[in-house]
């Protein structure tokens, strides 16, 4: 049997994640049956589950990939920029439905919650790092602990995701994000 290159394996994994993202976004976790995953990826169940142990691992890998993308932006530009990107290009965030599914599973599936907490630490660390750098530069208010600001921004992010995922991309959400950004800045 010929040996498959790392490039081919990475491309196949990416193909699976892209198709699964669309499938989970459209049908939710429960509705993303193996047959639907096969259709969305264009691959057989054997090919899909060769790369991912089961549907749960596939979903977790997808959620982790999305959290990593968000963490990269949050580390460099801040969590509010992540939200601005979502608002300006909602079509680029077809995983918003997946994020809602993550929220549901965090509440109902203790094993998933444990795994997700372990994997989502990167986004939290990126946000904390960015906030601390902003505080050191004198741009961030210093009367509120960093952990409270992170919680505040997470709540706003979850609310924005819920709005966008439900199809409510109101024009004034940009002004809301301006207000959020202003609320964490240092007042002189």
């Amino acid at each position: 049997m010929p040996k498959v290159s790392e490039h081919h394996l990475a491309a196949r994994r990416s193909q699976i994640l892209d198709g699964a993202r669309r499938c989970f976004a459209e049908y939710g976790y429960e509705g993303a049956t193996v047959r639907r995953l096969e259709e969305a990826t264009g691959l057989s169940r054997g090919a899909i589950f060769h790369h991912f142990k089961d549907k749960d691992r596939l979903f977790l890998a997808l959620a982790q990939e999305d959290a990593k993308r968000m963490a990269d932006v949050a580390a460099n530009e801040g969590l509010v920029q992540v939200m601005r990107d979502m608002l300006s290009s909602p079509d680029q965030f077809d995983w918003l439905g997946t994020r809602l599914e993550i929220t549901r599973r965090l509440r109902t599936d203790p094993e998933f919650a444990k795994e997700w907490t372990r994997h989502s630490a990167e986004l939290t660390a990126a946000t904390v790092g960015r906030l601390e750098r902003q505080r050191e530069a004198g741009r961030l208010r210093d009367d509120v602990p960093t952990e409270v600001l992170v919680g505040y921004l997470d709540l706003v992010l979850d609310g924005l995701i819920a709005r966008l995922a439900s199809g409510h991309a109101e024009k004034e959400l940009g002004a809301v994000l301006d207000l959020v950004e202003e609320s964490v800045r240092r007042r002189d």
Side-chain angles (χ1 to χ4, degrees):
M1 181 173 223
K3 194 169 187 171
V4 178
S5 73
E6 288 298 318
H7 175 72
H8 177 77
L9 289 173
R12 180 60 51 99
R13 182 177 165 84
S14 180
Q15 177 184 357
I16 293 166
L17 288 170
D18 289 345
R21 180 178 289 108
R22 289 187 308 272
C23 189
F24 285 124
E26 184 172 350
Y27 299 107
Y29 181 82
E30 299 300 328
T33 62
V34 172
R35 177 176 293 153
R36 285 178 171 157
L37 286 167
E38 287 175 321
E39 291 170 4
T41 62
L43 299 169
S44 70
R45 71 184 64 214
I48 295 168
F49 296 119
H50 170 76
H51 292 271
F52 300 93
K53 178 181 171 186
D54 53 28
K55 185 169 109 171
D56 216 35
R57 294 287 162 213
L58 173 59
F59 184 78
L60 192 59
L62 177 65
Q64 182 181 1
E65 184 180 84
D66 293 338
K68 168 104 176 79
R69 274 192 231 141
M70 289 173 60
D72 291 344
V73 174
N76 296 314
E77 302 173 58
L79 196 55
V80 173
Q81 186 58 48
V82 170
M83 293 183 246
R84 288 188 189 287
D85 291 348
M86 288 178 189
L87 194 56
S88 67
S89 303
D91 55 313
Q92 297 296 310
F93 293 89
D94 56 356
W95 53 265
L96 291 173
T98 303
R99 180 70 184 229
L100 294 176
E101 190 68 30
I102 290 167
T103 302
R104 183 191 70 78
R105 293 199 60 208
L106 287 172
R107 192 173 36 88
T108 61
D109 184 342
E111 192 61 35
F112 178 83
K114 189 169 83 175
E115 281 292 310
W116 175 251
T117 300
R118 193 168 60 83
H119 289 293
S120 66
E122 188 174 0
L123 178 57
T124 301
T127 302
V128 168
R130 170 75 178 177
L131 289 172
E132 288 176 352
R133 287 189 305 277
Q134 293 289 35
R135 181 169 279 149
E136 289 168 8
R139 292 185 214 109
L140 190 68
R141 56 189 297 175
D142 57 7
D143 62 329
V144 179
T146 301
E147 301 78 30
V148 173
L149 291 176
V150 170
Y152 169 63
L153 293 172
D154 280 345
L155 283 172
V156 173
L157 174 63
D158 287 344
L160 179 67
I161 288 170
R163 283 281 178 102
L164 293 175
S166 66
H168 295 93
E170 298 97 353
K171 290 183 274 183
E172 67 274 358
L173 288 178
V176 170
L177 291 181
D178 292 341
L179 180 62
V180 168
E181 198 162 34
E182 185 62 32
S183 71
V184 299
R185 292 200 183 278
R186 183 180 180 131
R187 295 177 181 95
D188 291 321

